[in-house]
Amino acid sequence: MRKKKQTLSPERTELYNSILNSTIASGNLEGINITKEDAQKMLQRVLIKIEKSL
């Protein structure tokens, strides 16, 4: 059984993209090359942990 892909509201999409960009930028400041794909994986893990804790 496949999970239905969730779509985000425009506000949440903007927040999601802002968090991704901040993650990439902070990694760059630390001298760590973080790709968009890496940042997406990290954010997805965090979102899953938050969802499980609710």
Side-chain angles (χ1 to χ4, degrees):
M1 188 169 156
R2 295 183 77 179
K3 251 188 172 179
K4 184 181 175 191
K5 186 172 183 177
Q6 293 179 325
T7 55
L8 299 175
S9 67
E11 296 83 14
R12 288 188 181 228
T13 299
E14 185 177 335
L15 177 61
Y16 181 86
N17 287 331
S18 175
I19 294 169
L20 281 182
N21 291 334
S22 296
T23 302
I24 293 167
S26 63
N28 288 341
L29 286 174
E30 296 294 323
I32 304 167
N33 184 22
I34 300 175
T35 65
K36 185 173 181 178
E37 291 78 19
D38 292 337
Q40 287 173 323
K41 288 176 191 174
M42 287 187 276
L43 183 53
Q44 191 61 41
R45 286 194 296 264
V46 170
L47 293 174
I48 289 169
K49 288 181 181 181
I50 291 171
E51 191 175 279
K52 286 181 178 180
S53 71
L54 296 178

